[in-house]
Amino acid sequence: MASAGSSANANAAAKFWDYFQAEKTQITAHVAQNDVQNRVRELDSKVREALIYLPAYDQKQLTKELDGLRALVQKSNPASSRNTGFRFKTATARPSVAKQTIEEIVPVTEPVTTPTDHGSASTPSILFSKITNQWIVATSNDNDATDCELRDISHCVVDLRAVSHHIRALNCHRVKDSIVICHPFAGSATIRDAQNSIVILGVQQLRFEGCKDVDVYTHCTSHPVIERSTSMRFSPYPAFVHSIEKSQPSLHDRIEDFNWLRRQHSPNWTLIDPETLHVLWKLLEDPKHPLHNALAHIPQ
């Protein structure tokens, strides 16, 4: 006999499936509108919030449908991606590390906003896109919970610690040869098509898709998920990086590999010692932002 908890989860999953299909229909019907990309982002956030009760099959199916929606939106409105009004600092890589300078870039474009289901005030998103060879430090004066996206980032250090308490969801697409740092936040992270990178963060839900050669230092309160990913290395979130509430145990070593259904341990992930981060962390805390030295610690 099914338990009351499992029945409640099944009902919630069925309701969410109906909601998703209705929203998908609306997005498809209005794919040419300017705000449709924000609706897809909001839908993606809600899917990740629902992962806690969605069965594995629904998770995989909804992820595939979201990918299809993104492709449709991009094809119909390729110019829809814009920078946000959030301020961030970058340190551009130079041939000589000692001569690096820090430049402050303030985008003047309007912030990207995400309409909610109930017609309340829109929520801005933090977006870093198509950046190479820079040390990025995100800053924000906004106090509302928001989404953060990284797209097409290569040979960069992305420091999100200053805005981590605002983030409810982190999305990373095509991050390569880079380091991403984020203090723990009460939300989820989805990382797609990352390669040769280091990710340091604490979340409630963590998912990797199509990734390879990524070191993950994390405190995750649910089972991290990997799909179509290889050479993934997981470690607990180091105590010397940021203190974490001990009442919430980390399941960083309970990886679920959706492409490995055998009882034996998946060959696609292993565990590493958090102490391996010590030397790199000193570089990440260096106010001179030694980009090349920091990136040299990425395992090849």
Side-chain angles (χ1 to χ4, degrees):
M1 178 181 295
S3 66
S6 62
S7 298
N9 284 347
N11 291 336
K15 290 180 179 179
F16 185 82
W17 181 270
D18 292 340
Y19 158 77
F20 180 94
Q21 296 304 326
E23 189 66 12
K24 176 185 174 183
T25 299
Q26 289 296 315
I27 291 173
T28 303
H30 301 89
V31 71
Q33 293 185 359
N34 292 332
D35 69 338
V36 70
Q37 187 177 50
N38 299 320
R39 295 187 66 173
V40 172
R41 185 181 296 113
E42 181 72 10
L43 185 59
D44 180 90
S45 177
K46 289 186 178 297
V47 168
R48 282 179 275 106
E49 291 173 359
L51 290 178
I52 193 170
Y53 58 80
L54 288 175
Y57 175 81
D58 283 6
Q59 292 182 27
K60 295 179 68 174
Q61 189 63 31
L62 292 177
T63 298
K64 290 179 180 178
E65 294 194 24
L66 273 171
D67 288 341
L69 280 176
R70 292 190 193 93
L72 178 63
V73 170
Q74 183 63 27
K75 182 179 179 181
S76 301
N77 192 4
S80 60
S81 297
R82 296 179 294 172
N83 285 332
T84 71
F86 287 82
R87 301 171 66 245
F88 61 93
K89 298 178 181 179
T90 64
T92 304
R94 303 292 172 81
S96 172
V97 174
K99 294 182 179 179
Q100 289 180 5
T101 60
I102 302 175
E103 302 171 351
E104 181 163 313
I105 300 176
V106 184
V108 296
T109 54
E110 296 179 0
V112 175
T113 56
T114 304
T116 62
D117 293 336
H118 306 291
S120 58
S122 58
T123 304
S125 293
I126 304 170
L127 170 64
F128 298 111
S129 178
K130 298 180 179 179
I131 303 175
T132 302
N133 294 323
Q134 294 188 19
W135 192 300
I136 305 165
V137 181
T139 63
S140 170
N141 295 322
D142 188 90
N143 294 320
D144 294 331
T146 188
D147 292 352
C148 178
E149 291 195 24
L150 309 179
R151 302 178 190 167
D152 300 302
I153 305 295
S154 65
H155 298 91
C156 290
V157 171
V158 184
D159 188 346
L160 302 174
R161 287 178 291 174
V163 297
S164 58
H165 55 293
H166 298 318
I167 298 176
R168 64 181 180 184
L170 172 64
N171 283 312
C172 301
H173 307 271
R174 300 174 297 279
V175 173
K176 298 182 180 180
D177 302 299
S178 297
I179 301 171
V180 179
I181 320 163
C182 188
H183 280 332
F185 63 91
S188 60
T190 302
I191 301 173
R192 297 183 174 93
D193 302 317
Q195 293 183 14
N196 301 325
S197 295
I198 296 175
V199 178
I200 308 167
L201 80 171
V203 289
Q204 293 178 335
Q205 298 164 355
L206 180 59
R207 186 185 188 97
F208 291 87
E209 299 177 10
C211 298
K212 182 178 180 181
D213 289 314
V214 179
D215 285 2
V216 185
Y217 297 85
T218 184
H219 183 97
C220 187
T221 57
S222 62
H223 292 198
V225 171
I226 64 174
E227 185 174 5
R228 307 186 311 279
S229 299
T230 59
S231 300
M232 304 292 295
R233 295 170 290 272
F234 289 84
S235 172
Y237 194 95
F240 58 82
V241 173
H242 191 77
S243 61
I244 295 179
E245 177 57 54
K246 297 298 183 181
S247 64
Q248 295 183 315
S250 177
L251 303 179
H252 64 275
D253 57 349
R254 307 288 182 87
I255 315 301
E256 292 189 15
D257 186 348
F258 279 10
N259 296 108
W260 186 261
L261 304 180
R262 302 178 186 177
R263 287 194 173 187
Q264 295 90 341
H265 185 285
S266 166
N268 297 320
W269 65 272
T270 57
L271 296 176
I272 54 176
D273 190 335
E275 295 302 314
T276 58
L277 191 63
H278 257 299
V279 176
L280 172 59
W281 190 251
K282 292 181 180 179
L283 295 173
L284 296 177
E285 291 283 75
D286 189 336
K288 295 182 180 179
H289 294 168
L291 181 62
H292 292 305
N293 290 353
L295 296 181
H297 285 263
I298 298 176
Q300 299 298 321

